[in-house]
């Protein structure tokens, strides 16, 4: 998997996490103001609900894009391993050796 794909996946995972957090906090604020009345509160609640709806739609889109990129990266990795199995085995062996050396030093 290339560094650019991994960076895009990491960015999208962070975006999904941030949006979920914002949605959760906004829903909590809406619940806290449910017993309050007044024109300004009603307008605020309506705006917040509209923004939450928009945020949920963006979250669904971001999750779909994240799934797409992850599947694309997995497919590319699978294709590479099928095309160059011995190279993949060599890389895996080197990574295993390095991990073993690092663990052995501790």
């Amino acid at each position: 998997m290339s560094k650019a794909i991994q960076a895009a996946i990491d960015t999208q995972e962070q975006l999904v996490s941030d949006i979920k957090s914002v949605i959760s906090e906004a829903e909590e604020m809406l619940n806290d103001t449910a017993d309050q009345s007044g024109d300004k509160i009603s307008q605020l609640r309506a705006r917040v609900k509209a923004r939450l709806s928009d945020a949920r739609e963006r979250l669904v889109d971001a999750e779909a894009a994240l799934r797409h990129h992850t599947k694309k990266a997995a497919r590319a990795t699978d294709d590479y391993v099928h095309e160059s199995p011995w190279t993949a085995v060599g890389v895996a062996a080197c990574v295993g050796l390095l991990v073993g050396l690092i663990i052995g030093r501790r």
Side-chain angles (χ1 to χ4, degrees):
M1 180 171 15
S2 74
K3 290 181 182 180
I5 292 173
Q6 183 61 43
I9 290 171
D10 291 345
T11 300
Q12 288 178 345
E13 286 176 345
Q14 183 62 40
L15 175 64
V16 168
S17 175
D18 291 346
I19 291 175
K20 284 182 179 181
S21 175
V22 168
I23 289 173
S24 175
E25 290 173 11
E27 286 175 338
E28 185 178 327
M29 287 184 344
L30 279 176
N31 290 336
D32 290 347
T33 61
D35 60 344
Q36 297 179 3
S37 61
D39 190 39
K40 286 192 176 196
I41 294 290
S42 297
Q43 289 175 356
L44 176 64
R45 289 176 54 83
R47 282 197 331 246
V48 169
K49 283 183 182 180
R51 296 215 182 208
L52 280 174
S53 176
D54 181 52
R56 282 190 188 110
E57 289 175 18
R58 289 179 47 201
L59 179 62
V60 168
D61 292 343
E63 286 180 319
L66 180 60
R67 258 187 254 108
H68 172 73
H69 286 301
T70 303
K71 286 180 183 179
K72 186 177 175 182
R75 239 180 278 120
T77 302
D78 189 51
D79 290 344
Y80 179 78
V81 169
H82 284 341
E83 291 171 4
S84 308
W86 290 110
T87 303
V89 169
V91 169
C94 289
V95 169
L97 178 67
L98 290 174
V99 168
L101 289 173
I102 291 171
I103 291 174
R105 287 188 173 194
R106 289 185 177 182

